[in-house]
Amino acid sequence: MLFNSLNTLRSLIREEPAKAQNFTQELSNVLRYMLQENTTQRTTLAEELEFIEGYTFLLTMRYEDNLIFEIETDKKYNHYLLPPMSLQVLIENAVKHNEISHRHPLNVSIRTTDDDMLHVCNRIQPKITNSTGTEIGLKNLVKRYSLLFNKEIVIDNNGDKFCVSIPLINPGTYENTNH
């Protein structure tokens, strides 16, 4: 992520200096969050979404109109808990494994549902060059949910669409069960 961002910044400095300043500010915010949240085990959805706003800005600057994010979350979940950078892992997974081009723009949707879940979904658009991943990001997220909250994430790949559903943890319930 860092090296791709620096390459994007290098191009922006040459071609669009004003955008380069905005990009630098967002990159700074993203890196600050990554360093700060690396020391905590859980964060609120509101904090995670604020981080994701900057992270998706960086990706959108890189991929332009070929990467679209639809984020629809109910504000009642803003204080619910999740492991830090959970959304970043899921977005990075979508970007890594799918073609993102003018012919095949990638649309990533992030939505809360009434069952206290956050769904991250995208249409499967395999890259022409086969990029078999280690799935380490998803495996780590599964382990973090199990260790922190004794909850499971749901991974659904129906061949056309890839969705990962992660539980949002009610802090009142979490506090009561972990004393």
Side-chain angles (χ1 to χ4, degrees):
M1 191 270 316
L2 179 59
F3 294 111
N4 288 332
S5 294
L6 291 174
N7 284 333
T8 301
L9 179 59
R10 182 175 172 220
S11 296
L12 285 173
I13 289 170
R14 264 195 320 258
E15 298 167 17
E16 301 181 67
K19 281 188 178 179
Q21 288 182 344
N22 291 340
F23 188 88
T24 302
Q25 182 61 49
E26 289 300 330
L27 179 58
S28 172
N29 293 339
V30 165
L31 294 174
R32 185 176 298 110
Y33 180 87
M34 292 173 93
L35 292 172
Q36 288 171 343
E37 292 303 315
N38 198 28
T39 62
T40 64
Q41 295 183 343
R42 56 195 166 277
T43 190
T44 64
L45 179 60
E47 291 169 330
E48 186 78 354
L49 289 171
E50 187 176 328
F51 161 68
I52 287 303
E53 186 177 321
Y55 183 68
T56 57
F57 175 85
L58 299 178
L59 290 172
T60 302
M61 292 295 282
R62 179 175 170 203
Y63 292 102
E64 298 176 338
D65 295 335
N66 302 319
L67 182 58
I68 301 121
F69 293 96
E70 294 176 4
I71 302 174
E72 296 177 17
T73 59
D74 190 324
K75 292 194 184 311
K76 76 179 184 181
Y77 292 111
N78 279 354
H79 67 283
Y80 278 52
L81 304 173
L82 68 163
M85 297 183 7
S86 298
L87 284 174
Q88 185 269 339
V89 167
L90 299 176
I91 292 169
E92 184 176 53
N93 190 60
V95 169
K96 179 179 180 183
H97 294 289
N98 290 283
E99 178 182 346
I100 303 172
S101 66
H102 184 65
R103 278 182 345 134
H104 299 285
L106 182 65
N107 188 316
V108 178
S109 72
I110 300 169
R111 291 182 168 75
T112 53
T113 56
D114 289 337
D115 59 350
D116 298 352
M117 298 291 278
L118 184 68
H119 301 280
V120 179
C121 299
N122 61 275
R123 192 167 37 108
I124 297 173
Q125 303 174 176
K127 289 185 174 182
I128 294 170
T129 58
N130 192 5
S131 66
T132 55
T134 60
E135 295 182 12
I136 197 160
L138 285 177
K139 287 178 183 175
N140 283 341
L141 190 57
V142 167
K143 286 180 186 175
R144 288 168 64 199
Y145 261 95
S146 178
L147 291 171
L148 288 173
F149 305 119
N150 198 27
K151 297 279 186 183
E152 294 183 8
I153 68 172
V154 178
I155 301 170
D156 181 26
N157 179 350
N158 68 11
D160 181 50
K161 202 171 190 182
F162 187 84
C163 292
V164 179
S165 302
I166 58 176
L168 294 172
I169 309 302
N170 183 324
T173 305
Y174 175 74
E175 302 279 334
N176 293 335
T177 59
N178 290 300
H179 273 128

